[in-house]
Amino acid sequence: MTDYQGKIYFISDIHLGAPALKNNREREKLFVAWLDDIKKDAAALFLMGDIFDYWFEYKTVVPRGFTRTLGKIAELADSGIPVHFFTGNHDVWVFDYLPSELGVHVHREEMRVNFSGKKFFLAHGDGLDPYDKGYHLLKKLFTNRFLQWLFSWLHPNLGVSLAHAWSKKSRLTKGMFVPFQGEEKEGLYLFAKSTLEDEEVDYFIFGHRHLLLDLPLGKNTRYINLGDWISHFSYGVFDGEKFELKTYKGPGESL
């Protein structure tokens, strides 16, 4: 991957279309405004997973909605800004539509990349928690090609309804957020710590946990969780020298 000259933006967990939320249109408009603002100085954009609360592509059908978002992402990609899309646990079923129609680069696994001499470990974060055995099994089911093929035979109205019912029930029963568990119990933090035993990393960048965190890890490493666009409206930016977490208030804000 080419080292980018300029600001690199990171964002995750927009959860567009989440049935448990009542302000999806307002959140999408704010996200699109943010995309419009960053195009002025973005060298690259990393969408770090769960941009959509649910996404499944049939051969000839994609989920209804998200018109503003899809158009703006295509606009950024068409203007020459590389857009990288990491699949999350809610939008794992991205196949060829976003790359072919929007021009984004889709990543299904974690990525290690150097920017301005700094090594970044990038991932949505789902499936990396060594203690979350239940989700490890669930992810295997979600990513199984045969099971995906079987699901594709459901009528879209039924498939989307089932997915929304699952999402709504899960979020309403478990709550939107699980607080930070502490450095000795937080799964992603422990994963990053164990990774450092075998390789040097300057920044671990994760989504998934909906936490806004910037924690030291070792002498020269930082553990970053990007927050979300449900309560934090947060994002990360690396300008070639420093990485910052920020929150977005509205159009025209200084980034």
Side-chain angles (χ1 to χ4, degrees):
M1 181 182 295
T2 302
D3 198 358
Y4 300 118
Q5 302 300 313
K7 291 184 178 180
I8 305 172
Y9 288 92
F10 303 83
I11 194 167
S12 72
D13 295 277
I14 313 296
H15 287 274
L16 294 174
L21 303 175
K22 304 302 182 184
N23 61 342
N24 283 299
R25 179 60 58 85
E26 291 78 10
R27 291 188 307 108
E28 181 179 17
K29 286 184 175 180
L30 190 65
F31 176 49
V32 170
W34 179 80
L35 291 171
D36 203 43
D37 276 346
I38 70 166
K39 72 179 183 182
K40 303 176 180 65
D41 62 7
L45 169 62
F46 285 79
L47 303 171
M48 299 299 300
D50 285 359
I51 303 305
F52 306 102
D53 193 67
Y54 170 71
W55 183 278
F56 188 94
E57 294 174 22
Y58 300 83
K59 280 191 174 181
T60 56
V61 177
V62 294
R64 176 177 176 173
F66 321 123
T67 303
R68 296 168 179 81
T69 297
L70 297 176
K72 185 56 66 174
I73 291 174
E75 179 185 325
L76 265 64
D78 288 348
S79 72
I81 298 171
V83 179
H84 297 269
F85 187 104
F86 283 69
T87 56
N89 49 303
H90 280 255
D91 46 20
V92 64
W93 299 294
V94 168
F95 302 124
D96 65 344
Y97 179 79
L98 297 185
S100 62
E101 295 295 328
L102 275 63
V104 305
H105 307 278
V106 173
H107 306 283
R108 306 184 190 282
E109 303 291 340
E110 59 265 26
M111 173 189 291
R112 295 160 172 85
V113 62
N114 287 290
F115 297 132
S116 301
K118 300 293 185 181
K119 185 175 180 179
F120 285 69
F121 185 107
L122 306 176
H124 178 62
D126 62 310
L128 299 182
D129 181 344
Y131 299 107
D132 195 356
K133 303 299 184 182
Y135 180 72
H136 291 173
L137 174 60
L138 191 63
K139 186 170 184 178
K140 287 182 179 180
L141 296 176
F142 283 170
T143 56
N144 182 278
R145 299 295 291 179
F146 178 68
L147 294 180
Q148 290 174 349
W149 177 80
L150 286 179
F151 188 84
S152 72
W153 282 93
L154 292 178
H155 189 282
N157 287 348
L158 178 57
V160 172
S161 296
L162 289 173
H164 281 179
W166 185 335
S167 174
K168 189 173 184 179
K169 182 177 184 299
S170 173
R171 289 189 175 277
L172 289 177
T173 56
K174 295 181 180 179
M176 285 291 179
F177 312 103
V178 177
F180 183 64
Q181 302 297 295
E183 295 180 1
E184 299 305 318
K185 295 183 178 180
E186 185 70 32
L188 280 179
Y189 187 90
L190 291 174
F191 168 82
K193 188 175 181 180
S194 67
T195 300
L196 282 180
E197 296 175 0
D198 300 317
E199 59 183 295
E200 293 183 2
V201 177
D202 294 291
Y203 296 100
F204 288 91
I205 311 293
F206 298 119
H208 188 51
R209 286 286 281 112
H210 293 227
L211 299 172
L212 192 57
L213 296 173
D214 183 350
L215 301 175
L217 184 62
K219 292 183 179 180
N220 302 306
T221 305
R222 286 161 63 186
Y223 168 92
I224 307 291
N225 195 285
L226 295 168
D228 63 20
W229 273 55
I230 297 173
S231 63
H232 295 106
F233 300 96
S234 51
Y235 63 96
V237 58
F238 180 66
D239 65 3
E241 296 182 1
K242 64 181 182 299
F243 185 98
E244 292 183 281
L245 284 175
K246 297 186 175 184
T247 56
Y248 185 67
K249 304 301 183 183
E253 177 182 299
S254 175
L255 301 174

